[in-house]
mmCIF file of all heavy atoms in Angstrom:
data_model
loop_
_atom_site.group_PDB
_atom_site.id
_atom_site.type_symbol
_atom_site.label_atom_id
_atom_site.label_comp_id
_atom_site.label_asym_id
_atom_site.label_seq_id
_atom_site.Cartn_x
_atom_site.Cartn_y
_atom_site.Cartn_z
ATOM 1 N N GLU A 1675 114.929 89.314 138.503
ATOM 2 C CA GLU A 1675 116.112 90.177 138.519
ATOM 3 C C GLU A 1675 116.197 91.057 137.276
ATOM 4 O O GLU A 1675 117.212 91.145 136.608
ATOM 5 C CB GLU A 1675 117.383 89.343 138.667
ATOM 6 C CG GLU A 1675 117.470 88.590 139.974
ATOM 7 C CD GLU A 1675 118.750 87.801 140.087
ATOM 8 O OE1 GLU A 1675 119.546 87.852 139.124
ATOM 9 O OE2 GLU A 1675 118.963 87.144 141.118
ATOM 10 N N LEU A 1676 115.109 91.690 136.914
ATOM 11 C CA LEU A 1676 115.031 92.699 135.840
ATOM 12 C C LEU A 1676 115.401 92.132 134.469
ATOM 13 O O LEU A 1676 115.885 92.869 133.609
ATOM 14 C CB LEU A 1676 115.935 93.895 136.158
ATOM 15 C CG LEU A 1676 115.610 94.679 137.439
ATOM 16 C CD1 LEU A 1676 116.679 95.723 137.691
ATOM 17 C CD2 LEU A 1676 114.244 95.314 137.345
ATOM 18 N N LEU A 1711 108.004 99.551 141.772
ATOM 19 C CA LEU A 1711 109.298 99.575 141.086
ATOM 20 C C LEU A 1711 110.426 99.069 141.988
ATOM 21 O O LEU A 1711 111.431 98.558 141.482
ATOM 22 C CB LEU A 1711 109.595 100.998 140.623
ATOM 23 C CG LEU A 1711 108.647 101.552 139.551
ATOM 24 C CD1 LEU A 1711 108.971 103.003 139.243
ATOM 25 C CD2 LEU A 1711 108.699 100.714 138.280
ATOM 26 N N THR A 1712 110.273 99.210 143.288
ATOM 27 C CA THR A 1712 111.297 98.692 144.200
ATOM 28 C C THR A 1712 111.238 97.179 144.311
ATOM 29 O O THR A 1712 112.276 96.486 144.268
ATOM 30 C CB THR A 1712 111.123 99.330 145.587
ATOM 31 O OG1 THR A 1712 111.172 100.755 145.461
ATOM 32 C CG2 THR A 1712 112.220 98.870 146.537
ATOM 33 N N LEU A 1714 110.299 95.202 142.174
ATOM 34 C CA LEU A 1714 110.714 94.584 140.909
ATOM 35 C C LEU A 1714 112.180 94.166 140.945
ATOM 36 O O LEU A 1714 112.569 93.201 140.264
ATOM 37 C CB LEU A 1714 110.476 95.578 139.755
ATOM 38 C CG LEU A 1714 110.805 95.106 138.342
ATOM 39 C CD1 LEU A 1714 109.926 93.920 137.955
ATOM 40 C CD2 LEU A 1714 110.615 96.242 137.342
ATOM 41 N N THR A 1715 112.994 94.870 141.722
ATOM 42 C CA THR A 1715 114.428 94.564 141.773
ATOM 43 C C THR A 1715 114.780 93.520 142.835
ATOM 44 O O THR A 1715 115.917 93.040 142.851
ATOM 45 C CB THR A 1715 115.217 95.844 142.082
ATOM 46 O OG1 THR A 1715 114.788 96.361 143.353
ATOM 47 C CG2 THR A 1715 114.977 96.895 141.012
ATOM 48 N N GLU A 1716 113.854 93.192 143.705
ATOM 49 C CA GLU A 1716 114.144 92.261 144.795
ATOM 50 C C GLU A 1716 113.957 90.824 144.330
ATOM 51 O O GLU A 1716 113.137 90.538 143.450
ATOM 52 C CB GLU A 1716 113.243 92.559 145.996
ATOM 53 C CG GLU A 1716 113.473 93.937 146.604
ATOM 54 C CD GLU A 1716 112.532 94.216 147.751
ATOM 55 O OE1 GLU A 1716 111.684 93.338 148.030
ATOM 56 O OE2 GLU A 1716 112.631 95.302 148.370
ATOM 57 N N ALA A 1729 114.025 103.772 153.100
ATOM 58 C CA ALA A 1729 115.108 104.386 152.330
ATOM 59 C C ALA A 1729 116.153 103.373 151.917
ATOM 60 O O ALA A 1729 116.741 103.456 150.833
ATOM 61 C CB ALA A 1729 115.748 105.513 153.144
ATOM 62 N N THR A 1730 116.413 102.397 152.778
ATOM 63 C CA THR A 1730 117.400 101.370 152.414
ATOM 64 C C THR A 1730 116.939 100.553 151.221
ATOM 65 O O THR A 1730 117.749 100.181 150.353
ATOM 66 C CB THR A 1730 117.642 100.451 153.615
ATOM 67 O OG1 THR A 1730 116.381 99.912 154.059
ATOM 68 C CG2 THR A 1730 118.286 101.226 154.771
ATOM 69 N N GLN A 1731 115.652 100.263 151.157
ATOM 70 C CA GLN A 1731 115.134 99.530 149.996
ATOM 71 C C GLN A 1731 115.267 100.357 148.719
ATOM 72 O O GLN A 1731 115.577 99.823 147.645
ATOM 73 C CB GLN A 1731 113.668 99.158 150.249
ATOM 74 C CG GLN A 1731 113.466 98.162 151.379
ATOM 75 C CD GLN A 1731 111.993 97.884 151.637
ATOM 76 O OE1 GLN A 1731 111.137 98.708 151.345
ATOM 77 N NE2 GLN A 1731 111.721 96.711 152.204
ATOM 78 N N VAL A 1732 115.058 101.658 148.845
ATOM 79 C CA VAL A 1732 115.202 102.530 147.671
ATOM 80 C C VAL A 1732 116.648 102.532 147.183
ATOM 81 O O VAL A 1732 116.920 102.460 145.973
ATOM 82 C CB VAL A 1732 114.726 103.958 148.015
ATOM 83 C CG1 VAL A 1732 115.029 104.917 146.856
ATOM 84 C CG2 VAL A 1732 113.239 103.966 148.326
ATOM 85 N N LEU A 1733 117.616 102.622 148.131
ATOM 86 C CA LEU A 1733 119.026 102.603 147.735
ATOM 87 C C LEU A 1733 119.423 101.283 147.093
ATOM 88 O O LEU A 1733 120.142 101.256 146.083
ATOM 89 C CB LEU A 1733 119.896 102.871 148.962
ATOM 90 C CG LEU A 1733 119.858 104.300 149.531
ATOM 91 C CD1 LEU A 1733 120.690 104.389 150.802
ATOM 92 C CD2 LEU A 1733 120.362 105.289 148.500
ATOM 93 N N LYS A 1734 118.970 100.183 147.679
ATOM 94 C CA LYS A 1734 119.271 98.881 147.076
ATOM 95 C C LYS A 1734 118.667 98.769 145.670
ATOM 96 O O LYS A 1734 119.302 98.228 144.746
ATOM 97 C CB LYS A 1734 118.728 97.765 147.964
ATOM 98 C CG LYS A 1734 119.475 97.586 149.274
ATOM 99 C CD LYS A 1734 118.883 96.448 150.087
ATOM 100 C CE LYS A 1734 119.611 96.263 151.418
ATOM 101 N NZ LYS A 1734 119.019 95.164 152.213
ATOM 102 N N ALA A 1735 117.435 99.271 145.499
ATOM 103 C CA ALA A 1735 116.790 99.206 144.180
ATOM 104 C C ALA A 1735 117.550 100.051 143.165
ATOM 105 O O ALA A 1735 117.739 99.643 142.002
ATOM 106 C CB ALA A 1735 115.339 99.676 144.294
ATOM 107 N N ARG A 1736 118.060 101.231 143.608
ATOM 108 C CA ARG A 1736 118.794 102.086 142.670
ATOM 109 C C ARG A 1736 120.089 101.406 142.240
ATOM 110 O O ARG A 1736 120.460 101.454 141.061
ATOM 111 C CB ARG A 1736 119.078 103.441 143.324
ATOM 112 C CG ARG A 1736 119.772 104.425 142.372
ATOM 113 C CD ARG A 1736 119.979 105.795 142.998
ATOM 114 N NE ARG A 1736 118.681 106.432 143.248
ATOM 115 C CZ ARG A 1736 118.214 106.715 144.464
ATOM 116 N NH1 ARG A 1736 118.942 106.418 145.544
ATOM 117 N NH2 ARG A 1736 117.051 107.315 144.618
ATOM 118 N N LYS A 1737 120.799 100.785 143.178
ATOM 119 C CA LYS A 1737 122.016 100.061 142.821
ATOM 120 C C LYS A 1737 121.725 98.909 141.876
ATOM 121 O O LYS A 1737 122.480 98.642 140.924
ATOM 122 C CB LYS A 1737 122.691 99.545 144.100
ATOM 123 C CG LYS A 1737 123.292 100.626 144.987
ATOM 124 C CD LYS A 1737 124.445 101.325 144.276
ATOM 125 C CE LYS A 1737 125.072 102.370 145.196
ATOM 126 N NZ LYS A 1737 126.198 103.074 144.522
ATOM 127 N N ALA A 1738 120.614 98.233 142.106
ATOM 128 C CA ALA A 1738 120.253 97.110 141.226
ATOM 129 C C ALA A 1738 119.938 97.609 139.820
ATOM 130 O O ALA A 1738 120.348 96.994 138.809
ATOM 131 C CB ALA A 1738 119.060 96.363 141.815
ATOM 132 N N TYR A 1739 119.225 98.733 139.719
ATOM 133 C CA TYR A 1739 118.928 99.296 138.406
ATOM 134 C C TYR A 1739 120.205 99.720 137.692
ATOM 135 O O TYR A 1739 120.386 99.443 136.488
ATOM 136 C CB TYR A 1739 117.999 100.506 138.549
ATOM 137 C CG TYR A 1739 116.522 100.159 138.649
ATOM 138 C CD1 TYR A 1739 115.773 100.508 139.771
ATOM 139 C CD2 TYR A 1739 115.872 99.496 137.611
ATOM 140 C CE1 TYR A 1739 114.432 100.204 139.870
ATOM 141 C CE2 TYR A 1739 114.520 99.185 137.697
ATOM 142 C CZ TYR A 1739 113.808 99.538 138.822
ATOM 143 O OH TYR A 1739 112.476 99.222 138.903
ATOM 144 N N GLU A 1740 121.119 100.373 138.399
ATOM 145 C CA GLU A 1740 122.365 100.824 137.773
ATOM 146 C C GLU A 1740 123.201 99.648 137.290
ATOM 147 O O GLU A 1740 123.752 99.669 136.175
ATOM 148 C CB GLU A 1740 123.160 101.669 138.767
ATOM 149 C CG GLU A 1740 122.538 103.011 139.085
ATOM 150 C CD GLU A 1740 123.323 103.764 140.141
ATOM 151 O OE1 GLU A 1740 124.291 103.165 140.687
ATOM 152 O OE2 GLU A 1740 122.988 104.927 140.430
ATOM 153 N N ARG A 1741 123.280 98.604 138.101
ATOM 154 C CA ARG A 1741 124.066 97.437 137.716
ATOM 155 C C ARG A 1741 123.440 96.736 136.506
ATOM 156 O O ARG A 1741 124.159 96.343 135.564
ATOM 157 C CB ARG A 1741 124.156 96.479 138.915
ATOM 158 C CG ARG A 1741 125.104 95.304 138.691
ATOM 159 C CD ARG A 1741 125.387 94.566 139.987
ATOM 160 N NE ARG A 1741 124.157 94.239 140.716
ATOM 161 C CZ ARG A 1741 123.774 94.841 141.839
ATOM 162 N NH1 ARG A 1741 124.506 95.835 142.359
ATOM 163 N NH2 ARG A 1741 122.658 94.478 142.473
ATOM 164 N N ALA A 1742 122.132 96.576 136.525
ATOM 165 C CA ALA A 1742 121.461 95.928 135.388
ATOM 166 C C ALA A 1742 121.594 96.762 134.113
ATOM 167 O O ALA A 1742 121.786 96.220 133.009
ATOM 168 C CB ALA A 1742 119.992 95.691 135.723
ATOM 169 N N LEU A 1743 121.529 98.094 134.241
ATOM 170 C CA LEU A 1743 121.663 98.954 133.058
ATOM 171 C C LEU A 1743 123.062 98.873 132.477
ATOM 172 O O LEU A 1743 123.227 98.798 131.239
ATOM 173 C CB LEU A 1743 121.316 100.397 133.446
ATOM 174 C CG LEU A 1743 121.419 101.433 132.328
ATOM 175 C CD1 LEU A 1743 120.473 101.096 131.186
ATOM 176 C CD2 LEU A 1743 121.125 102.832 132.858
ATOM 177 N N GLN A 1744 124.075 98.868 133.316
ATOM 178 C CA GLN A 1744 125.438 98.766 132.806
ATOM 179 C C GLN A 1744 125.673 97.434 132.122
ATOM 180 O O GLN A 1744 126.344 97.364 131.081
ATOM 181 C CB GLN A 1744 126.438 98.952 133.957
ATOM 182 C CG GLN A 1744 126.444 100.351 134.554
ATOM 183 C CD GLN A 1744 126.816 101.421 133.546
ATOM 184 O OE1 GLN A 1744 127.605 101.162 132.643
ATOM 185 N NE2 GLN A 1744 126.244 102.606 133.712
ATOM 186 N N ASP A 1745 125.130 96.366 132.688
ATOM 187 C CA ASP A 1745 125.291 95.055 132.050
ATOM 188 C C ASP A 1745 124.635 95.024 130.678
ATOM 189 O O ASP A 1745 125.214 94.517 129.700
ATOM 190 C CB ASP A 1745 124.694 93.974 132.950
ATOM 191 C CG ASP A 1745 125.490 93.812 134.249
ATOM 192 O OD1 ASP A 1745 126.651 94.266 134.279
ATOM 193 O OD2 ASP A 1745 124.931 93.251 135.220
ATOM 194 N N CYS A 1746 123.404 95.550 130.589
ATOM 195 C CA CYS A 1746 122.687 95.527 129.294
ATOM 196 C C CYS A 1746 123.390 96.401 128.265
ATOM 197 O O CYS A 1746 123.525 96.014 127.097
ATOM 198 C CB CYS A 1746 121.249 95.984 129.488
ATOM 199 S SG CYS A 1746 120.182 94.755 130.253
ATOM 200 N N LEU A 1767 113.815 98.131 130.807
ATOM 201 C CA LEU A 1767 114.633 98.421 131.982
ATOM 202 C C LEU A 1767 114.923 99.919 132.110
ATOM 203 O O LEU A 1767 114.815 100.508 133.197
ATOM 204 C CB LEU A 1767 115.935 97.629 131.896
ATOM 205 C CG LEU A 1767 116.985 97.923 132.969
ATOM 206 C CD1 LEU A 1767 116.450 97.575 134.347
ATOM 207 C CD2 LEU A 1767 118.261 97.154 132.669
ATOM 208 N N PHE A 1771 113.750 102.412 135.152
ATOM 209 C CA PHE A 1771 114.764 103.135 135.920
ATOM 210 C C PHE A 1771 114.497 104.645 135.868
ATOM 211 O O PHE A 1771 114.659 105.357 136.875
ATOM 212 C CB PHE A 1771 116.146 102.805 135.375
ATOM 213 C CG PHE A 1771 117.275 103.281 136.245
ATOM 214 C CD1 PHE A 1771 117.073 103.611 137.580
ATOM 215 C CD2 PHE A 1771 118.560 103.419 135.726
ATOM 216 C CE1 PHE A 1771 118.117 104.049 138.384
ATOM 217 C CE2 PHE A 1771 119.604 103.858 136.518
ATOM 218 C CZ PHE A 1771 119.375 104.176 137.858
ATOM 219 N N PHE A 1774 111.622 105.376 138.150
ATOM 220 C CA PHE A 1774 112.051 105.217 139.537
ATOM 221 C C PHE A 1774 112.855 106.448 139.990
ATOM 222 O O PHE A 1774 112.651 106.974 141.103
ATOM 223 C CB PHE A 1774 112.880 103.936 139.668
ATOM 224 C CG PHE A 1774 113.432 103.705 141.030
ATOM 225 C CD1 PHE A 1774 112.623 103.185 142.050
ATOM 226 C CD2 PHE A 1774 114.758 103.994 141.340
ATOM 227 C CE1 PHE A 1774 113.136 102.979 143.324
ATOM 228 C CE2 PHE A 1774 115.279 103.791 142.614
ATOM 229 C CZ PHE A 1774 114.457 103.275 143.598
ATOM 230 N N GLN A 1775 113.772 106.909 139.167
ATOM 231 C CA GLN A 1775 114.555 108.086 139.514
ATOM 232 C C GLN A 1775 113.677 109.337 139.622
ATOM 233 O O GLN A 1775 113.895 110.201 140.482
ATOM 234 C CB GLN A 1775 115.655 108.316 138.475
ATOM 235 C CG GLN A 1775 116.782 107.305 138.513
ATOM 236 C CD GLN A 1775 117.642 107.458 139.751
ATOM 237 O OE1 GLN A 1775 117.326 106.896 140.816
ATOM 238 N NE2 GLN A 1775 118.727 108.203 139.643
ATOM 239 N N THR A 1778 111.847 109.082 143.018
ATOM 240 C CA THR A 1778 112.661 109.128 144.232
ATOM 241 C C THR A 1778 113.590 110.329 144.303
ATOM 242 O O THR A 1778 113.890 110.829 145.392
ATOM 243 C CB THR A 1778 113.498 107.844 144.336
ATOM 244 O OG1 THR A 1778 114.297 107.705 143.151
ATOM 245 C CG2 THR A 1778 112.594 106.641 144.482
ATOM 246 N N VAL A 1779 114.087 110.813 143.158
ATOM 247 C CA VAL A 1779 115.034 111.925 143.146
ATOM 248 C C VAL A 1779 114.424 113.171 142.509
ATOM 249 O O VAL A 1779 114.387 114.241 143.112
ATOM 250 C CB VAL A 1779 116.341 111.538 142.422
ATOM 251 C CG1 VAL A 1779 117.331 112.699 142.435
ATOM 252 C CG2 VAL A 1779 116.958 110.313 143.060
ATOM 253 N N ILE A 1787 119.546 109.962 133.177
ATOM 254 C CA ILE A 1787 119.541 108.571 132.704
ATOM 255 C C ILE A 1787 119.288 108.526 131.198
ATOM 256 O O ILE A 1787 119.954 107.787 130.450
ATOM 257 C CB ILE A 1787 118.473 107.758 133.458
ATOM 258 C CG1 ILE A 1787 118.796 107.690 134.956
ATOM 259 C CG2 ILE A 1787 118.353 106.344 132.890
ATOM 260 C CD1 ILE A 1787 120.117 107.019 135.256
#
Side-chain angles (χ1 to χ4, degrees):
E1675 296 181 359
L1676 299 174
L1711 295 176
T1712 304
L1714 182 62
T1715 60
E1716 297 178 358
T1730 55
Q1731 294 177 335
V1732 173
L1733 289 176
K1734 290 181 181 179
R1736 183 177 294 115
K1737 291 295 182 180
Y1739 276 120
E1740 291 176 354
R1741 187 168 50 252
L1743 179 60
Q1744 293 299 327
D1745 293 342
C1746 284
L1767 174 62
F1771 191 18
F1774 177 79
Q1775 289 290 86
T1778 57
V1779 181
I1787 297 299

